[in-house]
Amino acid sequence: MTNQIEMVTDSNQYIVVVLGAEQYGIDISNVDNIVKMQKITRVPKSQGYFNGVINLRGEIVPVMSLRRKFKLENDEFNDKTRIIILKPELQDPIGVIVDMVKEVVTLKEEDIEKMSADTRDEMSKYLIGVGKNSESLISLLNIPAVISDGQ
């Protein structure tokens, strides 16, 4: 019985999302909700990567574009576009726009290659590692770094 419990704690579940040609993993413990794309109210003088706010069951939630945050091409909204509502510990919820939610995967500790922060590569600060899931690689997002206001 104890072996089964140990195996469970050695792995984490990630929601795999797609941005362009890349796959990113978001630790499921940070995810509060996944909603379809909806009308976003623009907020003047906000960061360039913030699209605005949405009203989610009476709660105002800021929404940011991961594509713009990561300096990729602009969002193209379609029926697969989703807003993932993140609720990290001790923080208000925030929505991030992704092209598509692909699947939920369970990665063991040995399936994850930790990232070393490379000060020359701006993207490296947003990643905690790369997960290997069968034949595909998933860049695992460092949610606190992604949602912080610093660019």
Side-chain angles (χ1 to χ4, degrees):
M1 179 81 178
T2 55
N3 285 348
Q4 288 178 328
I5 293 171
E6 286 173 24
M7 283 175 47
V8 170
T9 57
D10 285 349
S11 63
N12 280 342
Q13 286 192 308
Y14 295 88
I15 292 181
V16 178
V17 299
V18 177
L19 286 179
E22 299 293 318
Q23 295 188 105
Y24 295 92
I26 300 173
D27 190 318
I28 206 160
S29 66
N30 290 309
V31 177
D32 185 53
N33 204 339
I34 300 173
V35 296
K36 287 187 173 188
M37 194 60 199
Q38 55 187 271
K39 182 181 180 323
I40 298 175
T41 304
R42 188 90 186 110
V43 176
K45 298 183 181 168
S46 60
Q47 296 275 28
Y49 52 83
F50 273 101
N51 287 41
V53 295
I54 59 171
N55 183 342
L56 187 65
R57 292 183 298 281
E59 185 175 12
I60 302 300
V61 177
V63 175
M64 65 187 277
S65 165
L66 282 183
R67 281 177 165 267
R68 287 202 302 241
K69 178 86 175 195
F70 297 163
K71 297 182 174 33
L72 303 171
E73 56 286 349
N74 280 332
D75 294 290
E76 291 180 26
F77 304 127
N78 60 42
D79 60 335
K80 291 186 169 119
T81 305
R82 295 292 181 265
I83 301 173
I84 299 187
I85 308 299
L86 303 173
K87 187 130 169 106
E89 278 185 42
L90 307 171
Q91 287 190 286
D92 291 331
I94 185 168
V96 293
I97 299 171
V98 299
D99 295 350
M100 177 176 108
V101 173
K102 189 173 176 189
E103 62 186 331
V104 174
V105 297
T106 301
L107 296 177
K108 295 185 182 92
E109 205 61 44
E110 62 264 20
D111 296 331
I112 298 172
E113 193 75 32
K114 297 288 182 205
M115 295 284 289
S116 60
D118 182 352
T119 53
R120 291 164 295 162
D121 180 14
E122 194 174 324
M123 193 61 198
S124 70
K125 68 182 174 197
Y126 300 132
L127 302 177
I128 54 170
V130 176
K132 296 182 266 301
N133 182 40
S134 56
E135 296 300 309
S136 61
L137 296 176
I138 304 163
S139 298
L140 304 177
L141 293 175
N142 177 349
I143 294 304
V146 168
I147 63 176
S148 72
D149 276 339
Q151 271 189 267

